[in-house]
Amino acid sequence: MPLLAQLQTIYQRKDQLWLLIWLGGTLLLWGWNRLFLNAPALARVETGFANTFIIALLVILLSAALGWLSGVGLYFLEKAGNSLPYLTLSFLLNIIRSIPQIVGILLGYILITVQIQSGALQRPGAVIPVIAMVISLFVFLEISDLVRERIAYYRKRDFYNAMQVCGIPEWQIVNREILWRNSLAHLFNKLISIFGVTIFLLCSIDFIISVGLSGNVSSVNLPATLGSLLAKIDSKQDILAIGHVLTHPGYLPRLFFEHLQGITVAFLIVFTLLCIYKIANGFARRHEL
Amino acid sequence: MSLQFNIRIAKHRRTFIAIDHFEFPEQKVTFLFGESGIGKSILSKAIYGLLNPLRLDIHINGDSYPDYLRSARTQKFREAGFFVFQEPSSHLNPLIRLQAQLREGSLADAPGEQEILRHLWNHTPEQEIRKLLEVYPKPHRPSGGEKQRFLLAMAFKKLLRMQQEGRAQEGLYVFDEPSGSLDNHFRNRFLEMLFQRFRKGPFSAIFITHDYSIISEIYSRHADLREQIAFKELSRQDDRLVLQDFAPRAYLDWLKLEQSMETPPGDRRKPLLTMKGGYEIFGKKMIFRRNREEKGPDPGMLQIHRGEIVYLKAASGVGKTTLAKIIMGLQPCRRLEMRIGELAFSENTPRRVWQQQVWAKKIGMVFQHADEALNLNSTVQAVFAGLPIQPPLTPASIVQLLNELFEGTIEPAFLNQKVSLLSGGQKQRLNLLRTLALDTDLVLLDEPLNGLDFLSIQRVIAALKEKQQEGKAILMISHNEEIFEAVIPVENSYYLDFAGGV
Amino acid sequence: MRKKLLEHISSIILVSAIFLVLIYHFHSGYRQVQTRQDARIAPYLALDFIDYDDPLHKALLKESLNIFQPGQEPAHEALIRAIEAYRAAQIAALTRQQRNLQGLSFSKLGQLSGMYVNFILVYLIVMLLTYYGVQTLAVLRFIRLQQNRESYLAELASFLQRRFRDQPKTLHLRDLRRAAALLGKALLKGLLYLVLFSPAYVIAYSFKTRFDTDSIFFMVLLGVISNGLLITYAQKFFTFLVAESRKGYVQTAIVKNLENRYNLNAAGGVSLGRVLNFRKRFPGHVFQHIFINARYQYLATIKEQASFLITGLVIIEMALNIQGHLCYELMQNILYRQYDIVLTIILGIFLVVKGTELASDYWQYLEARRYDNEGMG
């Protein structure tokens, strides 16, 4: 395909366009930081960025697994008329739903801190999956609900009955025909949103902990993320400079040289959230979800 | 004079509809046949000006769609015409009362509402109609047939108003499958009103349908208008659409010549299916009669033997499909007394008994809407995956199976074709083949001619005759009475009815 | 509805019971010994020449143990950690004593109630403002879509392209003004997007480092514009509008010749006043059909929006460390390990969520009842 036509296609496919914008923007920022940010600070930002994204990726994997299993499990339990396990499971899920995500994750972090202090969680590499697990526990319900919604949608139509009376096993109808063949785009779109929500929650919780609970967790070595970097006093001073620019526009160029660490971290968080939102919308629009 | 259109419709730079001559005579009623999904509706919507230029790239007679929409002729089509859509359920707003929907926009001060409703609801007490007008349209209330009649009533209100203003000739009236949810009685009431209005003053109308029996109705009761009526058929030839004249005689002659499917001699002591004394569903007692007029107190018995084809008829909305689901254990009901081979079933039989003993073993069922019954995101080959057949179907055996109902020679590449890209008729035939592949003794067919063109209808009827000759029993459920009355012996017909009559 | 009501009430009762037991458990714990020494660490704590606040001393102790008891490095590591944990607990207990923090009391409960009322008030105001904002923004965006307007940048590109194709040699001031206006609008829109997606603390710390005055106004403002709440749910409502606009009944409305133009304030178009009105109605226009159906679907997402909003408010209160606010109190009490107060606050927040779920389900039930023809013959 000629280059112009390719560019036109990408312009029309907003999800791909925004993915490119995000990658390009992040690379550009990294290049700028390589030139103007001191090496230790750059290393901190790189580590924070990497940790944040590894945790977010783990969260979407865990949420996909938990959501699929719980959604399908609830469906079969309900259908089998197995009321006690069904009621117990749906009751538990409803309780998780009623706890604001940030509060639930905060409680999870307290437990992680206790575990680290007691020596149960010793290796730093083990903390990241546990954090991902805690966050997944409070975001996977969106996948679970979507799985059940999709099954219910097809149950109402002849699709389900027509396959059943042809002797096709029910687990195959649910897992392969409904979820795999007809819901992957929906699930993928939800996972993109969960990726965004995770980054938001993770940065917020790390920021809160670093600002408000520093005394309690200073002795605990939690992995650095964009949120915890933002809470550091020098980063806070950097973002305060943004407000200063509003009243002193002449100060603007100095933001990009003297306040780079805080500005980079804040921009990375906000820019990533915006791009993920645009990618999810573009994807939904392209697949007419 | 005729209206001529050259139409191209593309999406994401891929043209999916192209026709050089989409034309129909002005001031006449054109009946447009063709298999479902071929493009009759979208072409009609395109010329009426209903497609969204933001979502589709459309050119009509060389003009871009926005230019076409701005043209004076298109504006008049819309200002003085009306479009009755198929699928009445989705074409009424569920959050606005029917009465308000019947009286908004250009229908607000249109005359004749009461007369129109009275005509379309023949025999229904006025009070019942008034109650219906207060209702918010929901999936089961009003019924599909009632919703359809409300949409028709809107069209007639507009037509009456335009005729009074002397502008009906400027408009375009499109009826897209308007009788899909109506039984023959109400369909004929609607046709009567349409032609009555046409006799008062002609207008241009396109009538999209798969119901070939309309031809008989026109030839017998509206023969005076034969010169004002055109029959056309849309078909696909080498990736292009072609609109040709359809000869109504071809259908009438085929009907006359078609042989009845007599039951071959065999053992009648062991029926494959017996339903005694009717059943009760949604608080109503249902019974089987041997003919429409019979009004005896004792419910009849539905029985099917090997090699027998039984035709089950009922008025629209009585519950033919529900009965099929009851037989298959998909719909619970009360007072069920049924035997499938040696197995007895009652209202207390759990669903798993059907799952273990009946589905795909004793009875196969073809659901009426292929679009819903098939996984549109799978391939043709995957439609046959997972069927409990030993030995499992190979690509070669699937091709062999497809050759039974598909025209020409099936190429292996066709097996990888996505189901969503098939035409409506192809989907319906695939739907049928999936069940026939199970090789059960009894096959339950719910509206198997849905969405088929005349050629496909002939092919399906021929295939069913072949299956019957092989010893299969068939329970046929269809509103297409004219065709099935011609091919199924009258002694094999049953009539499903409410115990107290309708 | 009865089933849902039962589900909500039973979970409220069960969760409250569990929380109350835990609160009682933690509260009664204060009357007992505040800190317990582990017999394993007692001999090491008695060594008064070691300063456990000094990392060097801790490292020396660990090294010495490793030398004198080789092969038990993990056990020594655990021992050092146990000492740290004990000392942290001791410091927390001491702080509690010094600050006279004795867990939940009636006066504390009274204090918390005031904060709780304040929290609910802010929550209700933000909810109301976002309910309006979500619908208004989505409707404006939908109208723009129907007008087939390009983005400002695309508009600028096609303007420049057209301009240089038609008059390549001349340059008018008005052209420059138009190009600058389009560029300005594009930048402003981009900036607005960044603000709407910013977590509250990024916006807040851009202006202040301490938050003690005008905190309610500031919280309401941040609650509405930050954390992506407004934009996420406006997008949801917009998606409902787009999906509904493709439904069959809209086509029926069009063929009935209802107004179908989307020019703002033009004849046959949509009036801006109606778009900005709290109760939006568009009589005689196809959009009325679309709007009421989209709004009906939006009702089902209000629960989710409320939960997201509560998360946002908790973040705001915690991250900004605003004294005298409920979640600031939550953080402080986690810090001083006053878990009875922590649980009381969490129970309070849980009850707000449940209350919202109940109210939202009931509202939905009432609407559904109306449209399901209940009570009709």
Side-chain angles (χ1 to χ4, degrees):
Chain A
M1 213 195 304
L3 183 68
L4 193 69
Q6 262 178 349
L7 286 176
Q8 251 178 345
T9 309
I10 290 176
Y11 180 74
Q12 278 161 0
R13 294 178 174 180
K14 300 291 183 201
D15 48 339
Q16 294 175 3
L17 176 73
W18 278 94
L19 183 63
L20 280 180
I21 291 175
W22 181 74
L23 284 171
T26 310
L27 268 176
L28 203 70
L29 192 65
W30 181 74
W32 185 269
N33 277 298
R34 287 276 294 180
L35 293 174
F36 300 107
L37 185 64
N38 62 68
L42 179 63
R44 276 201 301 272
V45 174
E46 284 171 349
T47 311
F49 181 79
N51 284 342
T52 307
F53 276 81
I54 289 169
I55 292 172
L57 282 173
L58 282 174
V59 168
I60 58 170
L61 289 177
L62 286 166
S63 301
L66 279 173
W68 192 304
L69 282 174
S70 61
V72 171
L74 269 174
Y75 167 71
F76 279 112
L77 282 176
E78 187 181 16
K79 206 169 162 290
N82 217 339
S83 57
L84 189 67
Y86 169 73
L87 285 176
T88 314
L89 187 57
S90 54
F91 189 74
L92 276 177
L93 295 184
N94 280 342
I95 288 179
I96 295 179
R97 206 187 303 276
S98 302
I99 298 173
Q101 290 165 324
I102 200 81
V103 175
I105 296 169
L106 185 67
L107 292 176
Y109 261 64
I110 293 170
L111 283 179
I112 292 174
T113 310
V114 170
Q115 293 299 303
I116 293 173
Q117 281 174 338
S118 69
L121 259 178
Q122 286 191 349
R123 283 182 304 112
V127 180
I128 286 184
V130 177
I131 291 178
M133 181 61 97
V134 166
I135 298 177
S136 312
L137 208 58
F138 291 93
V139 296
F140 85 96
L141 282 176
E142 289 195 38
I143 299 287
S144 185
D145 292 345
L146 178 66
V147 164
R148 295 190 71 199
E149 212 174 90
R150 297 296 295 166
I151 299 174
Y153 173 77
Y154 281 99
R155 274 282 289 178
K156 267 192 244 156
R157 321 188 80 192
D158 283 345
F159 181 91
Y160 201 93
N161 285 337
M163 288 201 184
Q164 262 205 309
V165 299
C166 282
I168 299 171
E170 212 169 350
W171 63 266
Q172 193 174 316
I173 302 173
V174 168
N175 288 300
R176 194 173 72 181
E177 307 294 343
I178 296 179
L179 296 177
W180 186 255
R181 289 209 171 118
N182 281 295
S183 310
L184 265 196
H186 296 78
L187 287 166
F188 191 70
N189 193 49
K190 192 54 104 184
L191 288 174
I192 299 174
S193 310
I194 285 183
F195 192 76
V197 169
T198 302
I199 288 180
F200 171 69
L201 289 172
L202 180 66
C203 291
S204 302
I205 204 85
D206 285 335
F207 184 89
I208 289 167
I209 283 176
S210 304
V211 168
L213 285 182
S214 50
N216 203 31
V217 279
S218 60
S219 55
V220 175
N221 211 5
L222 286 171
T225 63
L226 293 175
S228 59
L229 281 181
L230 193 69
K232 291 198 183 311
I233 193 72
D234 39 355
S235 295
K236 276 204 274 191
Q237 292 300 332
D238 290 339
I239 43 176
L240 188 62
I242 301 173
H244 185 67
V245 169
L246 291 179
T247 47
H248 305 82
Y251 196 77
L252 182 69
R254 291 171 68 179
L255 285 186
F256 303 104
F257 299 98
E258 292 172 22
H259 299 283
L260 209 46
Q261 179 181 304
I263 298 285
T264 300
V265 174
F267 182 75
L268 269 176
I269 296 173
V270 177
F271 183 58
T272 303
L273 291 176
L274 169 67
C275 289
I276 290 172
Y277 161 84
K278 290 283 191 184
I279 291 168
N281 284 347
F283 186 83
R285 209 163 144 188
R286 185 152 67 89
H287 293 270
E288 299 195 344
L289 301 180
Chain B
M1 281 289 283
S2 70
L3 293 162
Q4 296 185 13
F5 302 94
N6 173 309
I7 306 172
R8 298 269 174 294
I9 305 176
K11 191 173 184 185
H12 303 313
R13 296 205 206 113
R14 196 180 69 87
T15 300
F16 65 96
I17 298 264
I19 183 164
D20 293 332
H21 304 287
F22 188 63
E23 54 179 287
F24 52 93
E26 272 187 286
Q27 315 308 323
K28 283 191 178 185
V29 179
T30 304
F31 283 82
L32 182 56
F33 298 109
E35 66 177 350
S36 76
I38 201 163
K40 302 182 297 293
S41 299
I42 198 169
L43 286 170
S44 308
K45 283 182 184 172
I47 57 173
Y48 190 88
L50 279 170
L51 300 184
N52 187 348
L54 301 179
R55 296 182 73 201
L56 297 168
D57 183 18
I58 307 161
H59 284 85
I60 297 185
N61 296 337
D63 290 336
S64 73
Y65 203 51
D67 286 342
Y68 174 79
L69 293 179
R70 275 190 289 271
S71 74
R73 186 177 63 174
T74 314
Q75 303 237 0
K76 278 181 187 163
F77 279 173
R78 293 168 59 155
E79 276 165 22
F82 203 84
F83 199 117
V84 174
F85 301 94
Q86 58 173 326
E87 295 171 19
S89 283
S90 59
H91 283 86
L92 289 168
N93 191 329
L95 304 188
I96 298 181
R97 287 183 205 275
L98 280 167
Q99 184 160 62
Q101 295 193 55
L102 202 54
R103 294 176 186 174
E104 63 178 349
S106 54
L107 310 184
D109 45 4
E113 183 181 291
Q114 273 199 336
E115 291 72 37
I116 292 166
L117 293 176
R118 217 175 287 141
H119 181 91
L120 292 175
W121 261 265
N122 186 32
H123 299 317
T124 309
E126 199 109 343
Q127 205 184 349
E128 285 293 311
I129 301 175
R130 266 205 302 275
K131 256 193 205 168
L132 270 180
L133 286 169
E134 289 300 313
V135 155
Y136 291 97
K138 283 283 159 280
H140 303 295
R141 193 176 183 221
S143 70
E146 284 167 336
K147 283 179 191 141
Q148 184 78 74
R149 279 175 272 166
F150 275 114
L151 287 171
L152 292 172
M154 290 177 192
F156 284 125
K157 276 186 79 174
K158 181 78 175 282
L159 179 58
L160 195 60
R161 181 181 163 178
M162 289 300 124
Q163 283 186 324
Q164 283 185 355
E165 291 175 11
R167 293 175 58 201
Q169 290 179 332
E170 295 171 1
L172 175 63
Y173 289 82
V174 182
F175 298 90
D176 190 356
E177 295 274 12
S179 57
S181 308
L182 302 179
D183 56 33
N184 283 354
H185 170 75
F186 286 113
R187 179 199 71 183
N188 294 343
R189 295 288 298 173
F190 152 57
L191 284 175
E192 197 180 302
M193 185 163 229
L194 180 75
F195 291 129
Q196 217 176 62
R197 299 264 34 112
F198 193 84
R199 286 184 188 101
K200 294 245 163 86
F203 48 87
S204 305
I206 301 175
F207 194 120
I208 301 168
T209 184
H210 295 111
D211 181 5
Y212 288 86
S213 65
I214 274 184
I215 295 173
S216 308
E217 173 70 10
I218 293 168
Y219 270 60
S220 62
R221 297 186 52 197
H222 306 285
D224 59 310
L225 290 175
R226 263 155 65 174
E227 290 304 311
Q228 269 74 47
I229 292 171
F231 294 96
K232 304 236 175 205
E233 189 172 45
L234 191 67
S235 58
R236 188 175 288 277
Q237 287 175 11
D238 303 326
D239 283 342
R240 295 193 76 80
L241 291 179
V242 180
L243 185 69
Q244 290 168 315
D245 286 336
F246 179 80
R249 276 278 155 220
Y251 167 75
L252 296 171
D253 292 346
W254 172 77
L255 210 57
K256 242 184 253 168
L257 294 172
E258 200 55 22
Q259 299 275 314
S260 188
M261 295 157 87
E262 300 298 338
T263 311
D267 185 1
R268 294 184 64 82
R269 281 172 306 174
K270 289 182 183 167
L272 293 174
L273 172 79
T274 308
M275 266 183 102
K276 278 186 192 164
Y279 54 93
E280 206 178 295
I281 184 131
F282 306 132
K284 283 180 177 150
K285 173 101 179 123
M286 309 301 299
I287 51 167
F288 302 105
R289 300 185 197 282
R290 295 313 301 255
N291 60 63
R292 213 176 296 235
E293 289 70 37
E294 179 192 298
K295 294 287 176 207
D298 296 326
M301 178 169 74
L302 175 73
Q303 203 165 60
I304 308 171
H305 300 87
R306 195 174 294 278
E308 194 172 49
I309 180 159
V310 165
Y311 181 30
L312 187 90
K313 294 179 268 187
S316 170
V318 167
K320 299 190 285 289
T321 300
T322 309
L323 170 64
K325 288 184 176 170
I326 288 170
I327 294 173
M328 294 307 281
L330 299 169
Q331 172 70 57
C333 72
R334 297 191 59 209
R335 295 173 200 275
L336 176 69
E337 213 179 317
M338 179 172 77
R339 290 191 83 84
I340 297 175
E342 298 300 314
L343 299 167
F345 293 81
S346 71
E347 62 181 70
N348 300 319
T349 310
R351 190 176 157 117
R352 67 165 188 280
V353 178
W354 271 278
Q355 186 163 14
Q356 288 162 0
Q357 312 271 353
V358 177
W359 295 344
K361 293 187 178 85
K362 294 193 184 308
I363 310 181
M365 177 177 169
V366 179
F367 283 70
Q368 61 173 318
H369 301 294
D371 266 338
E372 281 197 22
L374 296 172
N375 188 344
L376 301 184
N377 280 327
S378 69
T379 59
V380 170
Q381 185 172 341
V383 166
F384 297 92
L387 297 182
I389 300 172
Q390 288 307 329
L393 290 172
T394 61
S397 54
I398 295 172
V399 168
Q400 202 183 342
L401 199 62
L402 292 170
N403 277 324
E404 285 183 24
L405 282 183
F406 281 73
E407 63 274 18
T409 316
I410 295 292
E411 297 293 329
F414 183 71
L415 296 184
N416 298 322
Q417 178 94 282
K418 223 173 160 191
V419 176
S420 59
L421 300 177
L422 303 180
S423 72
Q426 284 176 318
K427 282 182 218 157
Q428 185 67 330
R429 281 176 274 163
L430 198 60
N431 187 22
L432 194 61
L433 281 175
R434 179 175 63 180
T435 302
L436 292 182
L438 295 170
D439 206 24
T440 50
D441 287 340
L442 175 61
V443 182
L444 225 154
L445 299 173
D446 189 6
E447 304 288 358
L449 305 185
N450 250 3
L452 298 184
D453 61 1
F454 185 42
L455 196 67
S456 302
I457 288 175
Q458 294 174 62
R459 206 172 270 144
V460 167
I461 297 283
L464 292 179
K465 280 184 172 174
E466 206 177 300
K467 291 287 162 198
Q468 188 221 8
Q469 289 307 309
E470 286 170 13
K472 300 264 173 280
I474 296 169
L475 174 59
M476 179 70 64
I477 292 172
S478 174
H479 71 279
N480 223 320
E481 294 183 11
E482 189 172 76
I483 292 178
F484 287 112
E485 278 172 359
V487 295
I488 297 174
V490 67
E491 64 271 19
N492 285 9
S493 293
Y494 287 83
Y495 195 75
L496 179 69
D497 201 359
F498 298 115
V502 185
Chain C
M1 184 63 205
R2 189 174 291 171
K3 194 182 157 207
K4 272 193 175 167
L5 195 70
L6 204 70
E7 213 173 276
H8 285 312
I9 291 174
S10 58
S11 70
I12 288 174
I13 292 172
L14 187 82
V15 172
S16 301
I18 293 171
F19 268 68
L20 289 174
V21 168
L22 286 173
I23 290 166
Y24 178 75
H25 167 76
F26 283 113
H27 188 66
S28 54
Y30 293 122
R31 292 188 212 113
Q32 295 161 10
V33 183
Q34 298 281 337
T35 54
R36 277 183 299 112
Q37 277 189 20
D38 186 338
R40 193 166 49 117
I41 61 171
Y44 298 95
L45 289 170
L47 303 172
D48 53 6
F49 56 85
I50 298 179
D51 177 5
Y52 286 103
D53 286 335
D54 190 340
L56 180 70
H57 282 212
K58 278 193 281 187
L60 280 173
L61 175 64
K62 197 165 80 176
E63 284 301 308
S64 311
L65 286 169
N66 288 347
I67 290 166
F68 288 104
Q69 297 169 346
Q72 295 180 29
E73 285 79 4
H76 300 148
E77 179 72 39
L79 179 78
I80 298 290
R81 224 172 258 131
I83 292 171
E84 280 172 348
Y86 167 75
R87 284 176 53 77
Q90 208 179 28
I91 290 166
L94 204 65
T95 318
R96 278 202 295 268
Q97 269 175 359
Q98 279 172 353
R99 297 187 172 212
N100 199 20
L101 303 175
Q102 285 305 310
L104 200 59
S105 60
F106 279 110
S107 69
K108 188 73 198 173
L109 212 53
Q111 236 181 351
L112 287 178
S113 305
M115 293 175 195
Y116 191 52
V117 170
N118 200 16
F119 181 82
I120 293 174
L121 187 73
V122 171
Y123 161 68
L124 288 177
I125 296 171
V126 178
M127 196 65 212
L128 202 68
L129 288 174
T130 45
Y131 174 79
Y132 168 78
V134 158
Q135 296 187 33
T136 308
L137 276 182
V139 168
L140 286 170
R141 203 173 150 206
F142 182 78
I143 289 172
R144 205 178 145 81
L145 175 82
Q146 295 301 315
Q147 290 171 346
N148 198 14
R149 296 267 299 275
E150 292 175 297
S151 70
Y152 291 121
L153 275 182
E155 222 176 298
L156 176 66
S158 51
F159 168 71
L160 292 176
Q161 205 179 5
R162 221 173 31 241
R163 175 67 189 69
F164 286 111
R165 192 188 54 211
D166 298 344
Q167 293 169 296
K169 292 192 178 146
T170 51
L171 190 65
H172 296 295
L173 191 64
R174 64 168 186 275
D175 296 332
L176 280 177
R177 260 209 305 266
R178 172 144 175 74
L182 284 171
L183 188 66
K185 278 183 190 173
L187 282 174
L188 203 68
K189 191 176 159 192
L191 201 67
L192 193 69
Y193 260 114
L194 286 177
V195 169
L196 289 173
F197 274 101
S198 292
Y201 43 88
V202 173
I203 302 177
Y205 281 102
S206 300
F207 296 97
K208 285 179 173 185
T209 47
R210 284 184 61 79
F211 303 90
D212 28 34
T213 54
D214 300 331
S215 57
I216 290 206
F217 170 75
F218 203 59
M219 276 195 63
V220 169
L221 184 71
L222 282 178
V224 174
I225 65 162
S226 69
N227 293 334
L229 175 75
L230 190 62
I231 195 81
T232 304
Y233 284 90
Q235 169 64 26
K236 255 192 189 160
F237 198 95
F238 171 75
T239 312
F240 291 146
L241 288 171
V242 173
E244 289 302 320
S245 70
R246 292 174 185 164
K247 296 249 173 96
Y249 65 80
V250 176
Q251 294 205 316
T252 306
I254 292 171
V255 300
K256 281 188 275 186
N257 306 107
L258 268 84
E259 294 296 351
N260 193 26
R261 273 171 290 182
Y262 285 89
N263 305 8
L264 277 176
N265 290 336
V270 179
S271 130
L272 185 62
R274 288 187 183 279
V275 173
L276 298 179
N277 206 318
F278 192 83
R279 284 174 70 90
K280 302 184 197 316
R281 288 169 200 275
F282 308 91
H285 201 284
V286 170
F287 187 59
Q288 172 71 6
H289 284 254
I290 300 169
F291 180 77
I292 56 170
N293 279 277
R295 189 184 149 277
Y296 185 64
Q297 290 198 49
Y298 169 61
L299 289 185
T301 69
I302 282 188
K303 256 195 301 195
E304 194 191 302
Q305 184 182 328
S307 183
F308 190 15
L309 168 61
I310 289 173
T311 284
L313 289 181
V314 172
I315 290 173
I316 294 169
E317 286 197 349
M318 283 182 175
L320 306 193
N321 267 326
I322 316 176
Q323 280 207 16
H325 280 258
L326 193 68
C327 298
Y328 170 81
E329 203 60 28
L330 176 66
M331 290 297 283
Q332 290 301 305
N333 286 290
I334 290 174
L335 195 62
Y336 300 123
R337 300 185 181 196
Q338 303 219 83
Y339 292 123
D340 51 350
I341 299 180
V342 169
L343 289 171
T344 307
I345 296 173
I346 293 177
L347 178 62
I349 295 173
F350 170 80
L351 291 176
V352 176
V353 178
K354 272 289 164 200
T356 310
E357 284 181 358
L358 259 169
S360 160
D361 282 343
Y362 187 64
W363 187 6
Q364 243 180 292
Y365 162 74
L366 286 181
E367 292 273 311
R369 220 173 94 94
R370 179 175 156 207
Y371 294 126
D372 282 346
N373 300 316
E374 277 190 30
M376 296 187 73

